[in-house]
Amino acid sequence: MRLKLSFPQAFEQWLNKIVKRPALAVTVVIVWLVVLGWVAYGWNLGSVGLIDETEPLFAEASRQMLLTGDWITPYFNGETRFDKPALIYWLQAIAYAVIGVNEWAVRLPSALAAMGVTALVFYTIYWSLSKKDELKPVSSLTRPYLAAVVAAAITALNPEMIIWGRTGVSDMLLTGCIASALLCFFRGYAQLGTGDRGQGTGRRDKVNNVKNNTYPILNTQSPFPNKWYLACYVLIAGAILTKGPVGIVLPGLIIGAFLLYVGQLWTVVREMRLFSGLVIISCLSAPWYLLVTWRNGSNYIDSFFGYHNIERFTDVVNGHSAPWYFYFLIVLLLFAPYSVYLPLAMIRLKFWQRSHWRTQERSQQLGLFAFIWFISIFSFFTIAVTKLPSYVLPLMPAAAILVALLWSDFFSQPEPNTSRTVITYPISFLQVSSWINVVFLSVLSVALFHLSYFLGKDPAAPNFNQILQDSGLPQIGGWIWLLFAFIVAVLILSRQWHSIIGVNLLGFVAFLMIMLMPALLLVDQERQLPLRDLSAAVVQFQKPQEEIIMVGFKKPSVVFYSHKHIKFIKLTREGIEYIETVANQPNHPASMLLLTEKRNFFKIDLQPDNYQNLAIKGAYQLTRINFKKMKSQKLDIS
C-alpha cells in the first residue's frame, strides 16, 4: 500500500543540517533528553508531600538505614520491613546523605531510573533504524532521529511512567533495571550477527558478513561476555536486589521466548557466556540475601520469599484481586493516548511469519523483541492472582518502541523518483485506529467535564471535590483534550499521518503542565499537608516518654515527618481496649498522645476531664489523654 507523505520542507532541511554535523546532533539529543526528563520527572518532583501509605514506608526505612548505619536489615517504625530487597533503600539513603532528608531524595532514584530507560530507548531505536537505513539505496538521515525522539517521548510521557517515576517506591527502579537489561541484551545480540538465514545459506552469509566486517567476529576463546551482555547481567542483578526473583524471571522469560522464536537459543546462550553471566549475577546479588538471612533467619525467608513472592503470585494478597481483563484496562488507560495504536503496531510486525523474522538481520528484529517483551510481561501478570497497576510497568518501554516503530514508516525517505512512502498494512487499519484515537480523547474530555460525578468523597479530604471544581481545572483539562481530538480529526481528513503522534504527545504535555500538575498540588494541599502539619504538632506537643497511638487509620507519613515511633491500631474498638488496658495498669504513664480522624474521635467515649485537644489539622485530630485524671471506668463504644 502506497500513500503520499507531506513533510514540512523547512523542518526537514533544518533536521538534515543538524544530523550532518555529529557533534551538534549529539548536543541537541542530550538537551532534548534532559528537557524531556525534567518535564516528565524532575519538575515539581519534591513539591508534593509523600503519599500514604506505601511511599512513606520506603522513605522512613531508608532514613532509618542512614541513621542507624545498618545497611542489611530495613526497619520501619521499630519493626523489620522485608517487603522489598535493599537496593531502593540504599539509593534513597545515599540521596539523603547527598541532598538531605526530603521528598526530592525519596523520589530521585525513581526519577533517574525513568530517565535512564528513556535515554536507552532513544539510543536503541536510533541504532536499529540507522542499521536498517544503511541497507537502503536511498537512506534517510532524519528517520532514525525522528523515530528515536518519538520513542523516548512516548516512553517518558505516559501516565503509568509518570506516576511511578515520581513516586519513591521500588517499582520504577525495577522497571529501570529490567527494561535497561533487555535493551542491553538486544544491543549485544544485534551486534554479533545475522538471523538464521535457513539451511544451507546461513553459514555462507555468515562467512561473507565476517569478511565484509558487517559485524564483529565473536572471540570464542574469551570466557567473558561482550560489554552489552555484561551490562545486561549487572542490571539483572540490580533488578534482583530491587524486587527479588522476578528480577531474573522476567528477563529470562522474555529473552528465552525471543531466542526460541528466532531459532537462535543455543547460539546466543554460547555468545552470552551464560555461565559466566550467572556467576556475575550471583556475586552481585547473593551477598545481601545471605547476610539478611543470616541475621534474621526464617523470619526473612517466610516473609519475603513466602508472602511477598510466592503467595502474591498464587493467591490474593491484601485484597488486590481483579478480573482477568484488568490489565487490558490498565494498558488502555495508563498508556493513553497512544494505547489505541498498539494493536496496529503489533499487526504491522506480522509476528506470525516466523520464517520472515528468522531471515532478518539481528539489528532489524527490535520490533519482534519488543512484541515478545510486551506479551510476556502482560501474560505473566495476567496469570498471577494478585493484581496491581504497577505490575505491568516494565512493559511500557516495549509498548513505546512498538508505537514508535509504527510511526517510523512515515519518517522514511520516499522511494526514488516518487513522492510516496510504503507501509506494509492497509491504510484503513490506520484510519480506524486514528478515529478511535479521536473518540478516546473525546470521551476523556467529556469525563473531565463531569469529573465531580466520578469522584467519590474522600474522608481524608472531604472538601477536595468542591475545591477542584471551583478551581476550574477539570474544565480546562476537558477543553485541552477536546481541542486535540479535533486536531487529530483534521489530520486524518487531510491524511497527514506523520503528525498525529506528535499531536498526541503535545496534548499530553499540555494536559500534564496545565491541568494535571496543578491538580496534584491541590490534592497535596487538601490530603497530605494536614498530615505534615499533624506531624509537626506531634513533635511540638509530645512530652518525654509519652507514647503516641494512631487509632482507626494508618498514615505512615506521620512517622517519617515526625521522626517518632507510633503505635498503629487498626480498629476503634481495639484502640479503646488498649487505652483501657494502659489506664488500668498499676504504674500507668501520666499521659498518652492519641491521633484519630475527627469523625471517629467521639467513638472513643472519653470523659471531658480526661483529655485535652491539642491540634486539629484537616480531617485529623491530636489529643492528649490524661491517665492521672482518668478514673477506672469502662470505655464504651458509642
Side-chain angles (χ1 to χ4, degrees):
M1 169 67 68
R2 301 173 184 271
L3 69 160
K4 292 184 178 180
L5 178 66
S6 61
F7 195 90
Q9 188 176 5
F11 183 60
E12 187 173 9
Q13 290 176 351
W14 178 74
L15 283 176
N16 273 306
K17 288 180 181 179
I18 290 177
V19 300
K20 288 177 180 178
R21 300 172 61 184
L24 178 60
V26 170
T27 302
V28 170
V29 166
I30 292 173
V31 171
W32 155 252
L33 290 173
V34 169
V35 171
L36 176 64
W38 177 258
V39 170
Y41 306 110
W43 178 47
N44 281 327
L45 181 66
S47 301
V48 176
L50 301 185
I51 300 172
D52 286 292
E53 71 180 60
T54 305
E55 193 176 30
L57 297 175
F58 284 90
E60 177 62 13
S62 302
R63 190 185 73 85
Q64 286 295 318
M65 188 170 280
L66 181 65
L67 184 67
T68 63
D70 184 351
W71 295 78
I72 303 300
T73 305
Y75 287 91
F76 172 80
N77 203 32
E79 299 179 354
T80 55
R81 174 170 165 77
F82 294 143
D83 296 48
K84 302 295 181 289
L87 184 58
I88 183 64
Y89 305 123
W90 292 343
L91 295 178
Q92 288 179 336
I94 292 170
Y96 290 156
V98 174
I99 63 176
V101 179
N102 52 49
E103 292 87 351
W104 259 98
V106 173
R107 294 165 180 153
L108 189 59
S110 295
L112 291 178
M115 292 179 189
V117 170
T118 300
L120 198 51
V121 166
F122 179 97
Y123 170 77
T124 306
I125 285 276
Y126 168 78
W127 182 85
S128 176
L129 290 180
S130 295
K131 289 291 183 183
K132 184 174 183 178
D133 287 351
E134 286 175 2
L135 305 175
K136 290 185 174 182
V138 180
S139 63
S140 171
L141 294 176
T142 58
R143 182 173 89 121
Y145 283 99
L146 287 170
V149 163
V150 168
I154 295 175
T155 301
L157 299 171
N158 64 77
E160 180 93 340
M161 291 286 288
I162 293 284
I163 291 169
W164 301 109
R166 289 177 166 270
T167 306
V169 297
S170 61
D171 297 273
M172 182 52 75
L173 183 59
L174 175 70
T175 294
C177 289
I178 288 179
S180 298
L182 291 169
L183 292 170
C184 286
F185 159 79
F186 181 81
R187 183 63 177 79
Y189 163 82
Q191 178 176 305
L192 290 174
T194 62
D196 177 7
R197 294 191 175 276
Q199 199 152 12
T201 61
R203 180 171 297 180
R204 182 169 62 253
D205 287 343
K206 194 170 186 178
V207 170
N208 291 334
N209 283 331
V210 171
K211 288 181 178 179
N212 296 327
N213 293 319
T214 56
Y215 66 90
I217 300 173
L218 179 65
N219 181 0
T220 57
Q221 303 302 317
S222 174
F224 300 105
N226 69 37
K227 62 183 180 181
W228 291 104
Y229 287 147
L230 178 61
C232 173
Y233 292 135
V234 172
L235 288 162
I236 287 175
I240 295 170
L241 281 171
T242 300
K243 226 168 187 180
V246 72
I248 192 171
V249 169
L250 287 180
L253 178 66
I254 294 163
I255 293 171
F258 171 71
L259 294 178
L260 280 171
Y261 189 87
V262 296
Q264 294 276 305
L265 180 61
W266 298 116
T267 301
V268 176
V269 164
R270 289 192 295 271
E271 289 175 2
M272 293 180 70
R273 303 293 186 260
L274 183 60
F275 178 77
S276 298
L278 293 175
V279 171
I280 292 169
I281 292 171
S282 299
C283 288
L284 292 175
S285 61
W288 177 80
Y289 283 96
L290 294 174
L291 287 171
V292 75
T293 303
W294 171 70
R295 182 174 291 183
N296 298 279
S298 61
N299 289 336
Y300 174 74
I301 295 172
D302 294 342
S303 176
F304 179 72
F305 290 102
Y307 179 77
H308 290 290
N309 282 274
I310 297 173
E311 193 169 337
R312 280 181 181 270
F313 191 82
T314 60
D315 202 358
V316 177
V317 171
N318 295 334
H320 297 308
S321 62
W324 63 269
Y325 53 83
F326 177 71
Y327 289 123
F328 285 92
L329 299 177
I330 291 300
V331 172
L332 174 65
L333 297 176
L334 296 188
F335 190 61
Y338 331 105
S339 50
V340 296
Y341 295 103
L342 274 173
L344 178 57
M346 294 178 183
I347 291 171
R348 168 190 173 274
L349 296 173
K350 299 181 180 178
F351 57 85
W352 55 87
Q353 295 181 356
R354 190 183 182 205
S355 59
H356 164 76
W357 285 107
R358 292 183 63 173
T359 60
Q360 294 295 301
E361 296 288 333
R362 286 189 182 185
S363 61
Q364 304 316 303
Q365 295 173 346
L366 178 60
L368 177 68
F369 181 66
F371 169 76
I372 292 176
W373 172 355
F374 182 97
I375 293 298
S376 297
I377 293 179
F378 189 91
S379 302
F380 183 86
F381 287 111
T382 297
I383 293 170
V385 179
T386 299
K387 290 180 171 61
L388 285 170
S390 61
Y391 285 179
V392 292
L393 181 61
L395 63 73
M396 293 297 162
I401 290 171
L402 290 170
V403 175
L405 289 176
L406 171 68
W407 246 268
S408 70
D409 292 341
F410 300 100
F411 305 141
S412 299
Q413 190 82 6
E415 288 188 314
N417 304 318
T418 73
S419 60
R420 300 173 183 269
T421 189
V422 177
I423 60 173
T424 58
Y425 50 85
I427 190 61
S428 59
F429 286 12
L430 181 60
Q431 289 175 326
V432 170
S433 296
S434 299
W435 283 116
I436 293 174
N437 188 179
V438 173
V439 172
F440 182 88
L441 296 183
S442 301
V443 170
L444 180 58
S445 173
V446 172
L448 286 168
F449 283 132
H450 299 87
L451 188 60
S452 60
Y453 296 102
F454 299 106
L455 289 179
K457 190 169 184 179
D458 185 356
N463 300 320
F464 173 71
N465 198 336
Q466 187 60 49
I467 292 172
L468 182 64
Q469 289 301 313
D470 293 343
S471 71
L473 289 174
Q475 289 73 27
I476 293 173
W479 284 113
I480 288 173
W481 284 123
L482 192 59
L483 171 63
F484 281 94
F486 174 77
I487 295 173
V488 172
V490 171
L491 293 174
I492 296 170
L493 295 174
S494 59
R495 303 175 71 82
Q496 297 185 48
W497 308 107
H498 61 275
S499 301
I500 290 176
I501 194 66
V503 167
N504 278 277
L505 285 165
L506 186 60
F508 188 89
V509 172
F511 180 72
L512 173 66
M513 300 182 73
I514 299 173
M515 188 272 175
L516 200 57
M517 188 57 67
L520 184 61
L521 295 173
L522 271 183
V523 171
D524 177 68
Q525 179 181 341
E526 292 299 312
R527 200 174 192 276
Q528 296 301 132
L529 180 60
L531 288 167
R532 298 198 292 277
D533 292 340
L534 191 69
S535 303
V538 166
V539 174
Q540 177 186 352
F541 289 109
Q542 187 191 23
K543 297 178 180 179
Q545 309 302 318
E546 191 171 42
E547 184 181 20
I548 308 168
I549 65 172
M550 184 179 289
V551 176
F553 70 112
K554 184 177 181 180
K555 300 295 181 183
S557 62
V558 179
V559 177
F560 175 80
Y561 286 111
S562 68
H563 298 176
K564 302 293 184 181
H565 181 276
I566 295 175
K567 182 178 180 62
F568 295 103
I569 302 175
K570 184 176 182 180
L571 301 177
T572 303
R573 179 186 296 276
E574 294 173 353
I576 293 172
E577 293 171 354
Y578 182 76
I579 295 170
E580 185 177 35
T581 300
V582 173
N584 290 330
Q585 291 176 353
N587 298 318
H588 59 70
S591 61
M592 171 190 291
L593 290 184
L594 169 66
L595 298 170
T596 57
E597 294 175 299
K598 288 189 301 184
R599 62 192 179 94
N600 290 331
F601 173 74
F602 290 104
K603 292 182 179 180
I604 303 175
D605 192 18
L606 294 170
Q607 297 301 316
D609 292 339
N610 296 337
Y611 70 89
Q612 175 188 4
N613 285 329
L614 301 177
I616 294 178
K617 304 294 181 181
Y620 309 103
Q621 182 168 328
L622 174 64
T623 304
R624 172 171 284 123
I625 301 174
N626 298 305
F627 289 115
K628 287 187 176 180
K629 296 182 180 180
M630 184 181 293
K631 297 181 180 179
S632 189
Q633 76 235 8
K634 186 176 179 67
L635 300 175
D636 298 322
I637 302 176
S638 61

